[in-house]
Amino acid sequence: MDAVDAARALLSEADATNERRLLVLTGAREDCYRVADAVLDAVPVGVSDTALVGERDALACQQVEPNRASSLLGTTLSAVVYDAHDTLRPNSLGQVVGAVDGGGLLLLLAPDLDGWPNQRDGFDEGLAVPPFGVEDVSGRFRRRFVASLRAHTGIGIVSVGAVDGDDDAAGSRVVDDGLTNPAPRLVDSREPEDELPVPVDHEFPRETYEACRTADQVEAVHEFERLVTDRETDAGAEDQSERRALVVESDRGRGKSSAAGLAAGAAAADGLDVLVTAPNRRNAAEVFDRARELLTTLEAAGDHPDEDGHLVSAAGGAVRYEPPRVAADSAAEPDLLVVDEAAALSVRLLDETLAADRVAYASTVHGYEGAGRGFSVRFREHLDDSDHVVRECRLAEPIRYAAGDPVEVWSFDALGLDARPPVPEIVAGATPESVSYERIDGEDLLADPTLLRETFGLLVLAHYRTEPDDLARLLDAPNLTVRALTHRGHVVSVALLAREGDLDAGTAAGMYEGDRIRGNMIPDVLVSQVRDEAAAAPVGYRVVRIATHHAVRSSGLGSRLLDEVRDEFADEVDWLGVAYGATARLVRFWERNDYAVVHYSTTRNDVSGQYSVVMLDPCSAAGEAMADRHGDWFGRRVGGQLTDSLDDADPDEVRAALAACDGDLDLALSEHEWRMVAGAAYGTGLFDVDPTPFRDLVVKHLVDPDHAVDLTDRQERVLVERALQARDWSTVADDCGFHSPGQCMRALGDALVPLCDAYGGAVADEERERHG
């Protein structure tokens, strides 16, 4: 048997079972291409149904650069060739796997498997962050990846070598035929039922349901219909004024986006305005494709889509796309908001979408586009506590291939897509006193699959978007290390730490001039943005992610873990730090653990919608000096930022960030400026005449570590919104719950009184006595 025979046998099984098969060709690149060409010539796969993902245009089919593999999302191909000789990029491979249809073949071209883990490629170069070199990258991910190829069924492995002669498949040796010898299927999942059941009480056009490919899709579309139409349910008559939400979850390839598209098209055909958002427009392509097809079937499409590619129906309805930040800001406007790939958005941004009266969330449970369980764990709590009536459905039946497809099983394992933390019952009794502190290195993770699954599963919880690339970083990146707390041998809290700094003068000078240095986030920010070239030299550990199992959250485990990290590293580094999308709760958590704010970003993250903060916990004299000067600089500049680029930041977030600043801020108001402020506090003076001294006083109060004055939360919010963020009186009054702008003005004056009493000195005393 040679490579062609192996491919034919694998495809025969794939065709008989509506599953996929994987054929690995290992050897020199040119030999692998020669044999791959012979395989594609010999098997019944059309050129238009085949794609090559690689750096070279070497086969008679469409070629896609590895960094553009995401362009295959939403497409269906019979064969995909992935050339991993130059780069094995986990994200790209996951996207490629998802494009292969049932009955199809994935060809992986790779170096000799025995030596492959010891080679370094383009992806490894990205893991070698300064001051580390590519030789410091471990290769553990590929050791595990090669082991998975050899262990899973449905994967043929063929070793190829150079040959003389005209037989393109000559010189190939089948190491493993990969055949599963499956029993015949009683039901062929490729053949739909003669007629899927259409709900008896449907209000969407019948064609909407006839376009569904599985019973799961029919149910999902029916749930969308319940979301947007007046109807009676089993529970009785629904109040149309009720706010409603729908959660549609599935693994990749189950048709949730198609169901959303069909529902969006049916709603638009009825004249409704449907706003669709996703991390980017490409992610929502399937929604628009299916909506467009349905509108065409219904002969309800308008004459032309608008210039942005939005779909407009003859009835005046629309299916339109907006980026997440824009969609969140306008969530209350459309008749229906559809959030596709919701798992890849931050909890904060998802919270803002709850302004919609009718909102649907389509979420991937295990996905190569990011599967942060912030959605399923954290946001679901917020959704359930909202005033929306929540319904949910789960799609289990694959659309493109049969359930139990061995290539899907392999890809979930190899790329960590099924990683998850321990079940809650195992760790429910964990306390700061019951846990053990563990130093976990890459070899520990490689040797213990359960430890790897639990550790990576918790890290998925810590971020709104965790991808297969992150698994490779966890195993291989020389600057990363893991620390964890375990309870009865199971991981309950985990911190991923990145070593940063320790950069030479030449590198620092390059950063100062605008060079981007991989893997050194905090030094990069402090050098390039805050213009402190000396910040590149001190060495520290940045807490990239920290997560505690949701069953024992808020029990002190995160703080215990940070205490242990500090005890371990305090004598080795100059600082510990963190950079993250700020919320008031998170800022207060880090402040309680002795981290101080030194920087506030001036732009929101496009996906999370959050402003980021940088916080430091110094460990040495050099770290103390760096933290002190940046704390002082932050305190002096933040007032100007809040009036300008941060004028839309959440006031409670601002209060928390300034309270967490350890800067030594001088309050140097002139006598005249004190009279302006004290006049507004005690008498008839006006804030609007000269807001600058008011701003300086409010910043001093919020940053003051001695907390000389205790104000109420509402008083501080008034001061932040009006004095720091320059919001107009009406807006501040509405935000802070005052009946009128005049009442809000008086409240600001009342809040200024104790500040003038505490900081104003003789001039303030004189003004107070003068106004009685």
Side-chain angles (χ1 to χ4, degrees):
M1 176 183 283
D2 62 12
V4 169
D5 296 329
R8 284 172 171 158
L10 287 170
L11 268 176
S12 177
E13 277 196 354
D15 183 65
T17 58
N18 192 32
E19 297 173 345
R20 285 103 42 96
R21 293 295 185 267
L22 168 59
L23 179 61
V24 184
L25 304 181
T26 74
R29 184 206 308 271
E30 298 304 328
D31 294 325
C32 287
Y33 272 123
R34 170 178 53 80
V35 175
D37 194 34
V39 166
L40 294 176
D41 277 346
V43 298
V45 174
V47 171
S48 61
D49 270 346
T50 304
L52 165 64
V53 179
E55 303 290 347
R56 301 184 181 184
D57 187 6
L59 296 173
C61 60
Q62 65 167 312
Q63 183 245 344
V64 178
E65 298 287 337
N67 60 3
R68 295 183 57 81
S70 60
S71 64
L72 296 179
L73 289 175
T75 64
T76 301
L77 299 167
S78 297
V80 175
V81 182
Y82 186 93
D83 180 8
H85 283 86
D86 282 333
T87 300
L88 175 61
R89 195 174 301 278
N91 280 4
S92 297
L93 182 61
Q95 293 157 353
V96 163
V97 172
V100 181
D101 198 11
L105 184 67
L106 173 64
L107 279 83
L108 176 65
L109 313 186
D112 175 74
L113 296 186
D114 290 334
W116 195 15
N118 298 320
Q119 298 179 28
R120 296 295 166 263
D121 64 15
F123 183 76
D124 296 325
E125 292 173 2
L127 302 182
V129 303
F132 298 97
V134 71
E135 67 278 2
D136 297 310
V137 178
S138 70
R140 297 186 191 99
F141 175 80
R142 272 200 296 279
R143 283 163 57 190
R144 183 177 181 275
F145 184 80
V146 168
S148 75
L149 291 173
R150 289 170 166 160
H152 280 268
T153 61
I155 301 174
I157 300 175
V158 175
S159 176
V160 301
V163 295
D164 296 324
D166 297 328
D167 187 351
D168 288 338
S172 59
R173 178 176 60 87
V174 177
V175 178
D176 184 343
D177 62 20
L179 299 175
T180 63
N181 301 308
R185 289 187 179 272
L186 297 178
V187 177
D188 189 338
S189 60
R190 285 165 300 181
E191 297 297 330
E193 299 178 31
D194 291 339
E195 187 173 331
L196 288 172
V198 175
V200 174
D201 60 342
H202 70 89
E203 294 184 27
F204 279 171
R206 185 179 186 87
E207 291 87 345
T208 312
Y209 293 99
E210 290 174 345
C212 293
R213 295 184 59 186
T214 66
D216 281 354
Q217 272 197 330
V218 170
E219 180 184 352
V221 171
H222 200 215
E223 291 293 347
F224 274 100
E225 182 182 304
R226 289 189 177 104
L227 185 67
V228 298
T229 59
D230 291 312
R231 63 169 56 258
E232 289 189 358
T233 66
D234 294 339
E238 286 190 1
D239 181 356
Q240 181 65 8
S241 67
E242 282 182 339
R243 309 180 79 211
R244 304 178 199 167
L246 172 64
V247 176
V248 181
E249 290 188 310
S250 74
D251 285 339
R252 182 69 60 183
R254 269 60 180 176
K256 66 181 182 337
S257 295
S258 295
L262 291 170
D270 197 34
L272 300 183
D273 176 30
V274 182
L275 175 59
V276 179
T277 192
N280 54 61
R281 177 63 186 259
R282 181 190 67 243
N283 296 125
E286 181 72 8
V287 175
F288 281 84
D289 288 346
R290 298 309 303 277
R292 183 181 298 105
E293 291 169 5
L294 180 64
L295 287 170
T296 301
T297 299
L298 297 174
E299 297 183 349
D303 293 335
H304 302 286
D306 69 17
E307 62 184 9
D308 294 322
H310 300 162
L311 305 177
V312 180
S313 76
V319 183
R320 53 194 180 88
Y321 174 83
E322 294 291 355
R325 176 72 265 157
V326 177
D329 289 342
S330 57
E333 298 174 6
D335 298 305
L336 171 63
L337 172 62
V338 177
V339 184
D340 201 15
E341 299 300 346
L345 301 181
S346 75
V347 174
R348 173 170 176 167
L349 203 60
L350 291 169
D351 283 343
E352 295 183 40
T353 64
L354 290 173
D357 286 336
R358 302 286 187 272
V359 56
Y361 302 95
S363 175
T364 300
V365 179
H366 305 117
Y368 37 78
E369 278 291 281
R373 290 192 185 85
F375 177 84
S376 57
V377 175
R378 298 179 187 173
F379 176 66
R380 282 306 306 268
E381 295 174 358
H382 299 183
L383 178 59
D384 292 339
D385 290 340
S386 74
D387 59 355
H388 290 72
V389 176
V390 182
R391 297 179 65 93
E392 57 187 285
C393 69
R394 179 76 176 264
L395 284 73
E397 186 176 350
I399 295 290
R400 297 180 177 176
Y401 43 80
D405 168 65
V407 173
E408 181 177 79
V409 173
W410 162 76
S411 66
F412 274 35
D413 175 37
L415 302 178
L417 296 176
D418 57 354
R420 61 187 63 207
V423 297
E425 292 76 12
I426 293 178
V427 301
T431 67
E433 295 72 33
S434 73
V435 295
S436 300
Y437 180 62
E438 305 289 345
R439 298 168 175 83
I440 300 174
D441 64 23
E443 289 299 325
D444 296 327
L445 295 170
L446 191 64
D448 188 339
T450 300
L451 179 64
L452 177 60
R453 180 184 296 265
E454 292 183 352
T455 300
F456 192 56
L458 269 182
L459 291 173
V460 168
L461 277 176
H463 200 254
Y464 57 87
R465 182 168 184 170
T466 301
E467 304 168 313
D469 281 0
D470 294 311
L471 178 63
R473 293 187 184 99
L474 177 66
L475 290 170
D476 286 344
N479 67 319
L480 295 182
T481 190
V482 176
R483 296 295 182 265
L485 299 177
T486 60
H487 176 72
R488 297 177 181 175
H490 294 279
V491 179
V492 294
S493 190
V494 62
L496 179 65
L497 311 174
R499 189 176 179 90
E500 297 189 346
D502 193 23
L503 302 174
D504 59 47
T507 302
M511 293 172 69
Y512 193 83
E513 296 300 326
D515 292 347
R516 298 304 303 272
I517 305 300
R518 294 189 305 271
N520 283 268
M521 177 185 287
I522 289 178
D524 181 58
V525 168
L526 301 185
V527 173
S528 65
Q529 295 186 32
V530 191
R531 314 309 291 164
D532 180 18
E533 195 168 343
V539 62
Y541 273 107
R542 174 170 60 91
V543 183
V544 180
R545 296 183 190 174
I546 183 170
T548 296
H549 198 291
H550 60 277
V552 286
R553 197 178 296 138
S554 301
S555 61
L557 292 173
S559 295
R560 163 73 193 280
L561 180 55
L562 290 175
D563 287 343
E564 294 283 0
V565 167
R566 197 182 202 288
D567 288 346
E568 178 183 354
F569 291 109
D571 294 333
E572 299 179 23
V573 298
D574 299 304
W575 54 266
L576 299 171
V578 65
Y580 60 94
T583 66
R585 181 184 64 82
L586 283 177
V587 172
R588 287 192 289 266
F589 166 80
W590 287 102
E591 183 192 16
R592 289 195 301 271
N593 286 281
D594 298 323
Y595 286 70
V597 173
V598 297
H599 182 69
Y600 213 144
S601 71
T602 57
T603 57
R604 292 184 184 271
N605 180 281
D606 288 340
V607 175
S608 73
Q610 295 171 309
Y611 292 109
S612 295
V613 295
V614 176
M615 302 180 74
L616 294 177
D617 178 13
C619 302
S620 71
E624 192 82 44
M626 184 174 81
D628 284 349
R629 67 178 179 269
H630 279 278
D632 293 347
W633 294 345
F634 172 69
R636 289 204 291 269
R637 70 175 178 269
V638 69
Q641 291 178 306
L642 289 165
T643 305
D644 186 25
S645 54
L646 295 173
D647 62 352
D648 62 341
D650 179 79
D652 289 331
E653 173 191 311
V654 171
R655 293 168 56 216
L658 269 63
C661 173
D662 285 346
D664 185 6
L665 189 63
D666 292 331
L667 184 60
L669 300 188
S670 68
E671 177 182 340
H672 174 70
E673 287 174 324
W674 269 120
R675 292 195 186 281
M676 294 292 297
V677 175
Y682 304 125
T684 58
L686 297 175
F687 165 86
D688 295 337
V689 172
D690 185 5
T692 300
F694 294 85
R695 182 181 66 193
D696 293 344
L697 175 60
V698 172
V699 171
K700 173 64 176 178
H701 159 67
L702 292 173
V703 171
D704 191 346
D706 296 328
H707 300 294
V709 179
D710 288 327
L711 297 180
T712 66
D713 289 344
R714 184 158 81 158
Q715 284 177 317
E716 287 194 347
R717 281 196 292 269
V718 170
L719 292 173
V720 168
E721 290 198 44
R722 184 65 187 131
L724 299 187
Q725 296 183 300
R727 298 181 184 179
D728 63 72
W729 287 110
S730 295
T731 299
V732 179
D734 289 343
D735 290 348
C736 296
F738 292 105
H739 295 303
S740 67
Q743 187 184 29
C744 184
M745 292 177 190
R746 290 189 291 274
L748 183 138
D750 292 341
L752 289 171
V753 169
L755 298 187
C756 289
D757 290 346
Y759 299 107
V763 177
D765 291 343
E766 180 182 331
E767 286 289 324
R768 182 173 58 250
E769 292 174 4
R770 190 170 188 174
H771 293 284

